[in-house]
Amino acid sequence: MIRMRDLRKDFSVRVPAGRLRREKRLVSAVDGVSLTIEPGEMVGYIGPNGAGKSTTLKMLTGVLSPTSGEVSVFGLTPVPQRTRLALRIGVVFGQRSQLWWDLPLRESFRLLRHVYQVPPAEHEQRLRRCREMLDLDAFLDTPVRQLSLGQRMRGEITAALLHGPKVLFLDEPTIGLDVVSKQAVRSFLAELGATGAVTVVLTTHDLADIERLCDRLVVIDHGRVVHDGTIEALHARYGSRRSLVVDLDSPLPAGFVLPGTSVAGVEADGHRVTFALDETSAAAAVAGLVAVASVRDLSVVEPDIEDVVARLYRAG
Amino acid sequence: MSGIDARVLTISPDRPFRASITTFGALAWSGFRRYSTYRQATIAGSFTNIVFGFLRCYVLLAVAAGAVGNRPGGYDATQLVTYVWVGQGLLAVVGMWGWTDLADRIRTGDIASDLLRPVPPLVSYLAADLGRALHAVLTRFIGPLLAGVVFFELYRPHRPQTVPLFAISALLAVIGSFGCRYLVNATAYWLHDARGVQMLWTLGSGVLAGLSFPLRLLPEWAVATLWVATPLPGLLQTPLDVLVERDEPVTQVGLVALQAVWAVVLLRLAHVVQRRAERKLVVQGG
Ligand SMILES: Nc1ncnc2c1ncn2[C@@H]1O[C@H](COP(=O)(O)OP(=O)(O)OP(=O)(O)O)[C@@H](O)[C@H]1O
Ligand SMILES: [Mg+2]
């Protein structure tokens, strides 16, 4: 469905060198990405700011020519076959609008029906679905320029889906959404993905999007893929561990060691200690602890994807 | 190369012709609708055009009164007055100035959204511009025309073919103007800031399209050069000359044919430029 082989994009930028001279320098935004995405997959494409996510998506959708490497979507080469590809993919670039700025949302949708030449019944059916799921009715007749970011974004997602694309590229589709809108968008996408009929590639900085939606996680940094697999695989690879947080009546004695754990943090003058459960179970650790200290409260914390990802980003 | 063609009506060779017409029509309608939301701008623009109409009209009449035989450039007073007032209306229809949509979208990277549609940008912008022109015919064209009728005596065409020929000529003027503007805007693909070029275009086109004064006032050789070597007289002067029957019928048809040639050349050129740009285009912004 989607194939990239050793895909690269260099931007040439001019940087000041000396007082008047400007020097040409190459920035490697995407530096040899190879990925294959099968039909029906939902792939989360994440990475720190400037990692090359948007650049990759631009190349996949045909608006940016790769410097080198191969890329194909539906067997089409995106840039030269852009107009044909456009009929079959849906794209949301969260930071820009594909809607007609001065026209009401409803009219943008009607126009898109003609631009993509969608039969009226199909159009009607898809639009109805989006109106329900994304709660569009309240602002269907508002000109796009008067919509709030979150309202517009729901409109953008609808616009990307009205022609029934089999592949969706979403670049930060939940940017700027409130909690309720985010949930609406997520469950909408989840439902879409559950049918297995649509392939989704989405970038985000909200890892909850990924946890909720994507079975596959691709992490990119400095233009290179640094992880490709499930979230569990990521935890395993980085040895993320559960941890035990305990509140104590009095600080632990100096030099205290709890077998199979390491101290991950001490707060409140030693009244709260966090142990990373390296090689022991939570039960064993608790048992070991209550034997020597008076524990007021405790909780077991699952590994946090944000921590793992932060570690991954820092390592890069 | 599949899918891209500068010809107006072929939106995509893969798709049936009828459907392409519908798509083109819908895009034109979007242009019409868009401008119909700018009511205040329409009113303010009409007002300005009328005020400048009076200025230009009196200046030209003064020139005519001082000219040998009262026929400067071969126009009599009614023809001059008509030239001015219809010209003030046509100016808005042709829309030579103030269109920076494409350049702005290139600069901000929003051009990406245009490229993500299955219709080539040149085609969708042309359709939207024809919609804009139609809106201007129904709104901005009327005001100056009425002012001319009320305060002056306008020229009544004598030949039956004049009005239809004027309509064709005006349509070609819109397409020619669109082609020029598209090219001017497209310099933003290379320059990032097309304002300098825009400025040059605004200054040059007003004079060389025959807005400041009828180009027929210039010496013969200059007139010939301008008509053949540039599309500019075709943007305003030609349709107005057709309407006031400045030339013999055969000459008039010849001038309109020249407009048609220029329209094709400009669209072709815009198509080539767009293709070039797309190959090296760097879509700005994350
Ligand atoms: N038009 C451009 N000209 C020069 N350099 C660019 C251009 N666009 C992107 N870059 C550079 O390419 C790199 C990747 O940018 P990209 O927009 O793909 O990052 P991203 O992963 O989408 O980041 P973010 O999470 O901030 O959206 C960055 O270092 C950026 O500075
Ligand atoms: Mg980005």
Side-chain angles (χ1 to χ4, degrees):
Chain A
M1 179 73 46
I2 300 171
R3 292 173 58 87
M4 291 173 258
R5 267 204 25 222
D6 201 23
L7 189 62
R8 281 166 205 279
K9 180 70 198 181
D10 298 330
F11 288 111
S12 90
V13 288
R14 293 180 177 282
V15 290
R19 277 178 54 197
L20 290 171
R21 275 185 331 112
R22 305 189 109 211
E23 212 165 64
K24 234 180 169 183
R25 199 190 300 154
L26 283 187
V27 175
S28 216
V30 174
D31 191 11
V33 168
S34 300
L35 281 178
T36 305
I37 296 170
E38 301 300 335
E41 272 193 288
M42 282 195 112
V43 179
Y45 197 58
I46 67 168
N49 292 133
K53 304 179 294 293
S54 299
T55 306
T56 312
L57 254 52
K58 285 177 191 170
M59 291 192 279
L60 285 170
T61 53
V63 298
L64 188 66
S65 298
T67 304
S68 68
E70 286 167 31
V71 52
S72 77
V73 180
F74 291 111
L76 299 172
T77 311
V79 172
Q81 295 176 300
R82 192 190 71 233
T83 33
R84 269 172 70 193
L85 183 64
L87 285 168
R88 303 169 69 176
I89 61 174
V91 185
V92 174
F93 281 116
Q95 309 82 339
R96 11 184 138 269
S97 182
Q98 55 184 318
L99 303 163
W100 280 260
W101 199 239
D102 297 299
L103 301 184
L105 210 46
R106 192 191 292 279
E107 271 186 64
S108 279
F109 295 154
R110 202 185 57 83
L111 265 164
L112 285 170
R113 174 170 97 66
H114 289 294
V115 168
Y116 288 91
Q117 302 182 351
V118 184
E122 267 178 51
H123 173 83
E124 212 30 64
Q125 185 200 339
R126 290 190 194 120
L127 182 56
R128 195 171 338 113
R129 184 104 198 77
C130 292
R131 276 166 57 181
E132 281 164 16
M133 290 290 293
L134 296 173
D135 217 0
L136 304 176
D137 285 355
F139 47 87
L140 262 185
D141 293 304
T142 312
V144 171
R145 67 183 129 82
Q146 293 173 10
L147 295 179
S148 80
L149 177 60
Q151 293 170 333
R152 203 200 80 214
M153 203 62 97
R154 285 181 270 164
E156 302 282 352
I157 292 171
T158 305
L161 287 169
L162 286 176
H163 55 288
K166 288 280 166 288
V167 173
L168 272 184
F169 294 104
L170 310 172
D171 194 357
E172 303 190 36
T174 54
I175 189 172
L177 299 190
D178 67 28
V179 184
V180 176
S181 303
K182 253 185 202 178
Q183 279 174 351
V185 167
R186 276 181 203 143
S187 37
F188 184 64
L189 291 176
E191 198 166 302
L192 206 68
T195 62
V198 186
T199 310
V200 181
V201 178
L202 93 100
T203 81
T204 182
H205 288 295
D206 186 339
L207 295 168
D209 290 343
I210 305 280
E211 283 186 302
R212 174 84 164 80
L213 294 172
C214 303
D215 354 296
R216 181 171 169 195
L217 180 65
V218 175
V219 186
I220 174 174
D221 195 7
H222 293 106
R224 294 165 188 272
V225 174
V226 294
H227 176 84
D228 180 0
T230 58
I231 292 177
E232 288 71 38
L234 189 65
H235 283 309
R237 173 171 160 198
Y238 279 85
S240 11
R241 297 136 303 177
R242 298 196 297 168
S243 45
L244 178 69
V245 182
V246 289
D247 285 338
L248 304 163
D249 280 330
S250 54
L252 290 164
F256 173 80
V257 178
L258 187 61
T261 72
S262 53
V263 175
V266 181
E267 288 161 81
D269 294 330
H271 285 94
R272 169 174 287 188
V273 183
T274 305
F275 295 96
L277 301 174
D278 299 331
E279 288 158 26
T280 182
S281 69
V286 170
L289 204 61
V290 291
V292 296
S294 131
V295 175
R296 208 188 306 149
D297 197 4
L298 62 81
S299 59
V300 178
V301 180
E302 293 297 318
D304 183 12
I305 177 153
E306 303 235 356
D307 288 342
V308 187
V309 169
R311 231 185 300 167
L312 196 55
Y313 288 179
R314 272 197 295 270
Chain B
M1 216 359 272
S2 68
I4 299 178
D5 197 308
R7 269 171 300 157
V8 176
L9 297 176
T10 316
I11 285 173
S12 154
D14 311 344
R15 299 194 282 169
F17 182 72
R18 272 267 308 276
S20 298
I21 295 279
T22 318
T23 303
F24 194 82
L27 287 166
W29 175 242
S30 79
F32 186 97
R33 277 287 289 131
R34 175 178 169 202
Y35 280 85
S36 67
T37 64
Y38 303 154
R39 279 197 208 107
Q40 284 172 353
T42 304
I43 293 168
S46 299
F47 180 75
T48 313
N49 284 4
I50 292 170
V51 170
F52 274 87
F54 278 107
L55 283 176
R56 287 183 57 213
C57 199
Y58 287 124
V59 169
L60 274 183
L61 285 178
V63 171
V68 209
N70 273 0
R71 288 181 72 85
Y75 304 94
D76 67 21
T78 2
Q79 283 175 315
L80 274 184
V81 166
T82 310
Y83 186 97
V84 168
W85 286 109
V86 176
Q88 286 302 101
L90 195 59
L91 178 62
V93 174
V94 169
M96 278 192 297
W97 300 328
W99 188 75
T100 58
D101 290 9
L102 178 66
D104 293 343
R105 288 176 74 82
I106 294 166
R107 194 170 46 77
T108 57
D110 282 345
I111 187 75
S113 306
D114 299 329
L115 295 173
L116 288 169
R117 302 232 167 92
V119 180
L122 182 62
V123 176
S124 51
Y125 278 104
L126 174 61
D129 199 58
L130 292 178
R132 177 203 59 75
L134 182 65
H135 179 260
V137 168
L138 299 179
T139 55
R140 306 255 326 246
F141 188 66
I142 312 278
L145 195 66
L146 279 181
V149 169
V150 171
F151 296 103
F152 299 86
E153 192 198 336
L154 294 193
Y155 180 85
R156 282 166 200 273
H158 301 298
R159 306 173 195 145
Q161 76 274 28
T162 292
V163 171
L165 194 63
F166 169 72
I168 295 171
S169 178
L171 175 65
L172 289 170
V174 172
I175 297 174
S177 150
F178 168 78
C180 291
R181 283 178 281 135
Y182 197 95
L183 288 167
V184 168
N185 274 259
T187 55
Y189 281 123
W190 286 270
L191 300 180
H192 285 279
D193 185 355
R195 269 178 298 188
V197 188
Q198 295 269 10
M199 187 82 84
L200 213 63
W201 161 253
T202 306
L203 290 177
S205 60
V207 176
L208 299 180
L211 178 72
S212 311
F213 56 87
L215 298 172
R216 295 302 184 87
L217 297 176
L218 296 174
E220 197 71 21
W221 63 266
V223 169
T225 314
L226 275 178
W227 250 265
V228 178
T230 81
L232 296 169
L235 305 190
L236 208 61
Q237 174 95 35
T238 302
L240 296 174
D241 278 351
V242 166
L243 188 69
V244 302
E245 300 176 339
R246 165 67 176 66
D247 304 288
E248 291 308 305
V250 180
T251 316
Q252 299 217 305
V253 171
L255 289 177
V256 174
L258 192 59
Q259 274 185 296
V261 170
W262 267 115
V264 171
V265 168
L266 287 167
L267 288 185
R268 187 75 216 163
L269 203 60
H271 168 66
V272 170
V273 166
Q274 176 67 31
R275 280 245 313 250
R276 274 275 164 89
E278 281 170 17
R279 235 172 287 148
K280 64 139 292 250
L281 172 66
V282 170
V283 172
Q284 302 295 330

